[in-house]
Amino acid sequence: MAEFLFFLLSALCVGGVLGLILSRNAAYAALWVVLSFAALGALFGLLDGPFIAVVQIIIYAGAVMVLFLFVVMMIPLRPSAPSPKRKVFVAASLLLTACLAALIFLSLSASRGTSAAPAAPGFGGVRGIGRLLFTDLLYPFEITSLVIMAALVGALILAKKRKSP
Amino acid sequence: MIPASWFLALSGVLFALGVLAFLIKKDLLLMFLAVEVMLNAANLAFVAFARRHGLLEGQAAVFFIITVAAAEAAVGLAIILLVFRRKKTVKADEISVLKG
């Protein structure tokens, strides 16, 4: 059952990214990525991380991607003129990506770990992560609020309509 | 019980696809979307390693990555809007001068 869920969700995930690559319409591409990220959230749930799963779906698939969709709708994206070098470029990108994938899989297969024991009850729940965030990781957690504040002010200043200089 | 290596393999595939999308796409917006896909592949690897070693720190790292990615998306999209307002285009090929 768990294996079936894993294969279904990973197919959704990979299919969503393929949809991003293949779709011509930017809004559809963003929606494909929403599907992919939601499936990824379910995969986090499968990996004993219920809190991270919920955060992924609410913040990533919800908030961030809706922001992307807003910007997609504000910018008119016209299809670009076909260039003669396009095929060569796509072939070169495929080759590069294949090399990178080979590297990644070599390094991942080198990291043989112990076979996973079943998780302790409550692993990845709000209680455990909250305790970790407010004890060991307190400073990074507080600094995150500064980062968000800076991003908020920066985005406002950048996107503000200014008088022509 | 699914072995964590399956999830690691999936994360590798997702990262490679993200790189491919980044290379192939021509709009700044879609290239940015591809970067988000790569970030999420890294997140999946973090959670898989957290599961394999039974440590919660991996999931806390994913929490931080998600918050920083949200901030990064806000600033990045504001920059793309600004580029569009100045150049009237978001094609990476047509934005080849650094002068505003």
Side-chain angles (χ1 to χ4, degrees):
Chain A
M1 183 60 198
E3 280 84 357
F4 172 72
L5 259 182
F6 171 79
F7 283 117
L8 179 71
L9 290 171
S10 49
L12 279 178
C13 227
V14 172
V17 182
L18 284 179
L20 162 69
I21 295 176
L22 296 176
S23 74
R24 304 249 164 208
N25 187 325
Y28 289 163
L31 286 173
W32 276 114
V33 176
V34 171
L35 170 74
S36 171
F37 287 176
L40 203 62
L43 280 170
F44 289 169
L46 214 56
L47 272 170
D48 295 316
F51 174 68
I52 288 299
V54 172
V55 165
Q56 166 84 11
I57 289 179
I58 292 179
I59 296 186
Y60 240 121
V64 174
M65 294 314 298
V66 168
L67 195 64
F68 263 95
L69 271 174
F70 273 127
V71 177
V72 166
M73 287 166 190
M74 285 167 83
I75 295 177
L77 294 168
R78 52 198 159 66
S80 56
S83 67
K85 285 186 190 163
R86 185 79 183 139
K87 281 219 171 80
V88 181
F89 184 75
V90 169
S93 333
L94 275 172
L95 188 68
L96 265 177
T97 309
C99 294
L100 179 74
L103 262 180
I104 290 174
F105 282 107
L106 272 180
S107 57
L108 279 184
S109 61
S111 78
R112 294 215 169 275
T114 51
S115 59
F123 180 79
V126 180
R127 179 191 293 264
I129 294 207
R131 182 157 292 166
L132 195 63
L133 282 183
F134 283 101
T135 53
D136 291 348
L137 301 175
L138 183 62
Y139 286 121
F141 184 71
E142 297 294 340
I143 291 169
T144 307
S145 66
L146 264 182
V147 169
I148 292 176
M149 189 72 198
L152 191 70
V153 176
L156 271 178
I157 289 178
L158 282 175
K160 196 177 62 177
K161 278 231 167 47
R162 68 189 72 163
K163 308 260 182 351
S164 56
Chain B
M1 187 58 225
I2 308 169
S5 52
W6 292 14
F7 288 94
L8 288 176
L10 176 62
S11 111
V13 169
L14 276 182
F15 192 90
L17 281 176
V19 172
L20 184 63
F22 182 81
L23 289 176
I24 284 185
K25 287 293 173 182
K26 285 180 161 180
D27 295 306
L28 283 184
L29 204 61
L30 295 176
M31 289 163 78
F32 199 38
L33 213 52
V35 173
E36 301 288 325
V37 172
M38 286 189 249
L39 267 175
N40 273 284
N43 278 351
L44 184 61
F46 260 115
V47 179
F49 277 119
R51 177 71 192 77
R52 179 190 266 180
H53 297 285
L55 292 171
L56 266 181
E57 273 83 356
Q59 298 194 5
V62 171
F63 175 79
F64 286 124
I65 292 176
I66 289 178
T67 45
V68 172
E72 166 245 342
V75 176
L77 289 173
I79 290 176
I80 290 177
L81 264 184
L82 199 65
V83 167
F84 174 71
R85 221 176 265 156
R86 297 221 169 163
K87 306 267 181 190
K88 299 294 166 214
T89 180
V90 285
K91 298 258 177 275
D93 295 344
E94 297 166 23
I95 308 167
S96 50
V97 279
L98 280 176
K99 247 167 74 179

